[in-house]
Amino acid sequence: MRTVEVPLGQRSYQIKIAPKLLPRLGAECRRLNLGARCAVITDAKVGPLFAAAATRSLRKAGFDPLVITVPSGETAKSLATVQRCYDQLAANRLERKSFIVALGGGVVGDLAGFVAATYLRGIPFVQVPTTLLAQVDSSVGGKTGVNLKAGKNLVGAFYQPRLVLCDLDTLKTLPPREFRAGLAEVIKYGIIYDAALFQRLERDLPKLLGKRPAVLGPVIARCCEIKADVVGQDETESGPRATLNFGHTIGHALEAISSYGKYLHGEAISIGQVAAAKLSCELLGLPTDHAARITALFKHAGLPVTVKLTSAQQKALFAAMRLDKKVSAGEVKFVLAQRIGKVVWGQRLPDAAILKALAIT
Ligand SMILES: NC(=O)c1ccc[n+]([C@@H]2O[C@H](COP(=O)([O-])OP(=O)(O)OC[C@H]3O[C@@H](n4cnc5c(N)ncnc54)[C@H](O)[C@@H]3O)[C@@H](O)[C@H]2O)c1
Ligand SMILES: [Zn+2]
């Protein structure tokens, strides 16, 4: 088993990464000094696959779990679902020492984390991420929240879990498209922080796509280490944490103009990162062979790297970028790469340069 520490003083916690972890959920929770009552929040696809194993393990360790199942997909990240969770927690008398287990992808993690952050002004929670994206990204770092009609993640809290358990076996049932979308975040860590990780991905991509635990385990652990390090330096995103948004300004805008439908998040940020790499060549001197390697890796991972936009869509894209909550004083700032493994943030870019980068194939 690999263990990654997230260093946040009193709120520090561990991320454990290995196959066959779900059956150990109860025993792992035992060590956290939690109350007996708990709620496993999961979704309609993940629940039938893994909720029984989770509750069995919790019961065996002396806990008394309740299962709350929310719909699968982004629409579950709503205040209406939060309300339904609160009602069930209250009806089942969960109290201050009770805890929540988030069993699912990033949607369940963000939702259940927000419920945990706010029910009774905060009860402990444990993340059991079941998508690649959730294992390398959303379950680490303590951002929780839900969407409003006006936009994604507009209501939320910084609230750290007490433990993260990444069971590699849960990824076996993940649809290939979702797995590839998670790889877009994995590749991102190589670009923003770790040239050796990027090289390893270039070499081991076929084995990774085959979900081999011996390859997957170290890669996921490295991604978690990187995120933990960045979050440890900057928990609430006043500086270095912004580098995690490489490719995300364009990616989020693409998601928004396609009404969160056409592209998965990982697909949108694949296009965004390739565009950011091209902009980096032009404006920051990223060597062109580095940009070519970045494009090739996303392509080999089966991810889209370009997008064709009508002029109406282009207008909508820039409007969406200006609405992104990372914008300050109306100015869109970008994270760009100097080389693979090193990025800088706070770059201002002309619209024309962005359009050009999106259009090149
Ligand atoms: N908090 C953060 O820091 C952070 C970071 C990145 C993304 N996010 C959020 O994460 C969400 C996206 O997460 P996601 O990509 O995991 O999506 P998701 O949670 O919707 O999961 C994707 C799909 O896979 C299904 N699924 C999950 N695990 C499965 C498994 N093991 N086997 C079969 N099916 C499975 C789900 O039911 C869903 O249909 C977005 O809402 C995004 O805003 C949060
Ligand atoms: Zn992302």
Side-chain angles (χ1 to χ4, degrees):
M1 179 164 68
R2 291 184 163 73
T3 302
V4 175
E5 303 278 338
V6 185
L8 293 168
Q10 289 212 318
R11 287 166 298 110
S12 297
Y13 55 97
Q14 291 188 326
I15 306 163
K16 298 189 174 181
I17 302 137
K20 299 189 180 66
L21 273 186
L22 193 55
R24 287 173 47 184
L25 170 65
E28 292 288 345
C29 289
R30 241 333 1 129
R31 300 151 61 134
L32 299 174
N33 187 27
L34 303 163
R37 270 325 251 141
C38 59
V40 176
I41 300 184
T42 188
D43 77 22
K45 282 191 188 157
V46 178
L49 295 168
F50 305 119
T55 51
R56 199 179 312 126
S57 169
L58 286 163
R59 278 199 197 95
K60 224 171 99 190
F63 295 108
D64 179 15
L66 149 84
V67 177
I68 300 177
T69 307
V70 304
S72 156
E74 191 67 31
T75 50
K77 256 176 71 171
S78 71
L79 288 172
T81 318
V82 169
Q83 173 81 57
R84 283 198 288 278
C85 292
Y86 291 152
D87 289 343
Q88 292 195 55
L89 297 178
N92 288 278
R93 305 198 184 289
L94 267 79
E95 41 166 58
R96 284 305 285 275
K97 279 204 93 185
S98 307
F99 64 101
I100 287 174
V101 175
L103 174 67
V107 163
V108 164
D110 282 13
L111 167 80
F114 183 67
V115 169
T118 47
Y119 179 72
L120 302 179
R121 297 196 184 85
I123 64 172
F125 91 113
V126 170
Q127 290 264 24
V128 184
T130 63
T131 64
L132 181 57
L133 178 130
Q135 295 194 352
V136 299
D137 188 0
S138 60
S139 68
V140 184
K143 278 193 190 175
T144 71
V146 296
N147 306 326
L148 296 182
K149 276 206 193 78
K152 272 191 67 161
N153 302 323
L154 290 183
V155 173
F158 284 101
Y159 193 66
Q160 302 293 342
R162 296 286 300 278
L163 172 71
V164 182
L165 288 186
C166 300
D167 183 338
L168 300 174
D169 290 333
T170 61
L171 300 179
K172 287 182 186 158
T173 52
L174 191 64
R177 186 177 171 202
E178 295 287 351
F179 187 80
R180 286 194 296 266
L183 282 176
E185 301 284 1
V186 172
I187 296 170
K188 180 190 79 179
Y189 289 114
I191 300 170
I192 66 166
Y193 196 99
D194 186 349
L197 171 64
F198 191 91
Q199 267 181 323
R200 182 199 273 182
L201 296 173
E202 289 179 309
R203 192 188 62 216
D204 288 343
L205 192 66
K207 290 181 200 153
L208 263 180
L209 287 167
K211 301 182 186 174
R212 284 202 208 163
V215 184
L216 213 45
V219 167
I220 291 175
R222 183 65 189 134
C223 294
C224 290
E225 263 170 27
I226 295 171
K227 181 143 187 197
D229 183 48
V230 174
V231 170
Q233 290 175 41
D234 179 20
E235 189 181 358
T236 54
E237 198 162 331
S238 48
R241 193 166 178 163
T243 59
L244 296 170
N245 291 322
F246 181 72
H248 278 57
T249 307
I250 292 172
H252 282 153
L254 281 172
E255 285 179 272
I257 66 168
S258 53
S259 310
Y260 311 131
K262 182 160 186 268
Y263 294 112
L264 295 178
H265 174 71
E267 293 166 348
I269 62 153
S270 171
I271 296 168
Q273 289 180 81
V274 168
K278 286 170 185 156
L279 287 161
S280 303
C281 292
E282 212 167 298
L283 299 152
L284 216 65
L286 173 74
T288 48
D289 63 310
H290 284 217
R293 283 169 63 199
I294 289 171
T295 308
L297 192 52
F298 284 109
K299 270 192 188 160
H300 288 152
L303 287 157
V305 294
T306 52
V307 61
K308 283 205 175 71
L309 298 173
T310 62
S311 61
Q313 287 169 325
Q314 290 175 8
K315 259 196 188 150
L317 183 87
F318 287 109
M321 277 198 274
R322 297 208 164 81
L323 274 180
D324 198 278
K325 61 185 184 319
K326 311 272 164 14
V327 171
S328 58
E331 198 153 67
V332 185
K333 291 191 180 155
F334 276 78
V335 183
L336 294 183
Q338 287 177 322
R339 53 182 160 77
I340 289 172
K342 175 91 182 94
V343 289
V344 290
W345 72 94
Q347 306 290 305
R348 289 172 209 145
L349 303 180
D351 289 1
I354 298 169
L355 280 179
K356 196 172 149 212
L358 276 170
I360 303 168
T361 41

